[in-house]
């Protein structure tokens, strides 16, 4: 392991301290930007600083934040997944269909999680064992998953679900929506695990230097496949929560969501080159993107311009990331 740390330039001395400062600075910068947007919008709209607005925003960003956790794990390992939005739509639709057909909710949840795991394992095997580029592999599953969801429903939402199906989506704990509580727990546990557990810290070594990781005995393919499965399972969970909140399975849900998730993760410090990033940073990135979208909605900006802004944010974030990483090297 010491040889691996040396080969990927991850020493314990001053350089590690500087790297930690860079990560922390990115997160601090995001906190400052978020505060600036909140301050500006508090003057621009009287409806921004209201409990109803923040509640709606928190509920809306919960699925995105959950998916961003999985995307961060993949980016740290040197991969990414463009199929997460389609997986969310597919699994939410499958869950609703199974429940409507009379399957007990517990069995429907288990079957839906299995569907998500199969999609993630397929992505991981295509990338690691077959050698397909992650862009091509996950674009393929993006199209396939979305197509299956549309075929199963003929493009219509699945409704007529029992009231018990909406328990999670409609329950509050001390005034906080249960979906938001679940999101917070996932972000907290995943951030701590990525920082402190040996199993997840292997993702950094794999993403920073795959060859050195293999020579050090790390099962690179298994680690990467596990990351793809985790990403898909988190997208599945997001689909379940969304279906419970809407009381419907929506095959068109999550359209272009992968762009928002990628933008949030990169803004939060994850690198497309792998080996860097934190779950906390990605979560702050999700909040920042959600605030921008909310601000444009409050200011009556067309939804089409919101898509333009999201694309520009992603492009600028990736460009700045490449410039900063290139200069540091």
């Amino acid at each position: 392991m010491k040889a691996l740390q040396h080969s990927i330039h991850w020493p314990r001395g001053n350089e590690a301290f500087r790297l930690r400062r860079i990560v922390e600075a990115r997160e601090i910068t995001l906190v400052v930007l978020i505060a600036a947007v909140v301050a500006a919008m508090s003057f621009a709209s009287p409806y921004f600083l209201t409990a109803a607005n923040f509640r709606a925003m928190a509920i809306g960003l919960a699925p995105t934040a959950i998916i961003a956790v999985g995307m961060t794990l993949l980016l740290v390992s040197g991969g990414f997944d463009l199929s997460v939005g389609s997986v969310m739509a597919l699994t939410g639709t499958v869950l609703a269909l199974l429940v409507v057909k009379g399957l007990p909710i517990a069995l429907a949840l288990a079957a839906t999680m299995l569907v998500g795991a199969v999609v993630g394992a397929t992505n991981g095997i295509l990338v690691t064992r077959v050698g397909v580029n992650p862009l091509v592999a996950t674009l393929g599953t993006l199209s396939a998953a979305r197509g299956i969801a549309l075929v199963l429903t003929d493009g219509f939402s699945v409704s007529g679900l029992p009231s018990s199906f909406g328990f999670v989506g409609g329950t509050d704990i001390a005034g906080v929506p249960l979906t938001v509580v679940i999101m917070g727990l996932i972000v907290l546990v995943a951030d701590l695990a990525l920082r402190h557990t040996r199993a997840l810290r292997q993702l950094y070594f794999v993403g920073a230097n795959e060859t050195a990781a293999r020579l050090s005995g790390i099962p690179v393919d298994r680690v990467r496949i596990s990351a793809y499965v985790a990403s898909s399972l988190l997208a599945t969970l997001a689909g379940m929560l969304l279906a419970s909140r809407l009381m419907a399975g929506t095959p068109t849900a999550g359209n272009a969501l992968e762009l928002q998730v990628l933008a949030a993760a990169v803004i939060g410090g994850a690198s497309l080159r792998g080996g860097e990033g934190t779950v906390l940073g990605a979560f702050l990135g999700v909040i920042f993107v959600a605030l921008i979208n909310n601000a444009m909605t409050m200011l009556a900006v067309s939804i089409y311009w919101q898509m333009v802004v999201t694309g520009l944010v992603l492009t600028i974030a990736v460009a700045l990331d490449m410039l900063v990483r290139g200069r540091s090297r």
Side-chain angles (χ1 to χ4, degrees):
M1 188 62 71
K2 289 183 179 179
L4 174 61
Q5 289 175 340
H6 177 73
S7 62
I8 65 173
H9 306 291
W10 196 285
R12 297 180 181 272
N14 293 332
E15 188 175 343
F17 176 73
R18 286 196 296 270
L19 177 60
R20 194 180 304 115
R21 278 201 311 175
I22 291 173
V23 172
E24 291 173 351
R26 179 70 68 94
E27 293 168 354
I28 291 172
T29 300
L30 271 174
V31 171
V32 172
L33 288 174
I34 289 170
V37 173
V38 170
M41 283 304 301
S42 65
F43 290 103
S45 173
Y47 305 105
F48 181 78
L49 285 181
T50 61
N53 182 48
F54 280 104
R55 177 186 172 88
M57 191 161 46
I59 293 174
L61 67 80
T64 306
I66 292 172
I67 293 175
V69 172
M71 187 69 77
T72 301
L73 299 180
L74 276 175
L75 287 170
V76 168
S77 71
F80 57 88
D81 186 358
L82 297 180
S83 68
V84 287
S86 296
V87 172
M88 183 181 78
L90 172 62
T91 52
T93 300
V94 167
L95 176 61
L97 282 172
L98 292 176
V99 173
V100 165
K101 291 183 179 297
L103 195 67
I105 292 179
L107 291 179
L109 289 171
T112 304
M113 292 298 287
L114 180 60
V115 171
V118 168
V119 175
T122 300
N123 281 334
I125 291 171
L126 285 174
V127 172
T128 59
R129 303 293 171 82
V130 182
V132 180
N133 184 281
L135 173 65
V136 178
T138 57
L139 271 177
T141 50
L142 175 153
S143 179
R146 182 74 66 183
I148 293 172
L150 292 170
V151 167
L152 289 174
T153 62
D154 290 327
F156 295 99
S157 295
V158 180
S159 57
L161 295 160
S163 58
S164 57
F165 185 81
F167 173 77
V168 175
T171 300
D172 284 9
I173 296 179
V176 180
L178 182 55
T179 54
V180 177
V181 174
I182 293 172
M183 172 203 70
L185 290 174
I186 290 174
V187 170
L188 177 63
V189 172
D191 185 72
L192 292 175
L194 187 58
R195 292 175 189 269
H196 301 296
T197 63
R198 182 174 181 178
L200 290 188
R201 287 196 64 80
Q202 288 182 340
L203 295 171
Y204 286 106
F205 298 123
V206 172
N209 192 321
E210 179 181 337
T211 302
R214 290 186 187 277
L215 293 175
S216 299
I218 294 177
V220 172
D221 288 350
R222 188 172 69 190
V223 168
R224 280 193 165 154
I225 291 174
S226 298
Y228 276 101
V229 172
S231 175
S232 189
L233 286 176
L234 286 167
T236 300
L237 176 60
M240 291 175 171
L241 294 176
L242 181 64
S244 178
R245 178 167 66 87
L246 300 178
M247 284 295 288
T250 310
T252 56
N255 189 31
L257 182 63
E258 57 278 351
L259 295 181
Q260 291 188 33
V261 174
L262 264 176
V266 174
I267 290 171
S271 174
L272 293 177
R273 296 179 178 179
E276 299 178 38
T278 65
V279 171
L280 176 60
F283 177 60
L284 292 173
V286 169
I287 294 176
F288 178 72
V289 173
L291 279 172
I292 295 297
N293 289 334
N294 183 260
M296 288 189 291
T297 301
M298 287 280 182
L299 298 175
V301 177
S302 168
I303 189 173
Y304 304 117
W305 278 108
Q306 294 182 30
M307 295 171 63
V308 172
V309 171
T310 300
L312 288 175
V313 168
L314 175 60
T315 303
I316 293 171
V318 173
L320 289 176
D321 175 71
M322 292 299 182
L323 289 173
V324 170
R325 308 302 176 190
R327 182 170 298 180
S328 65
R329 284 177 173 79

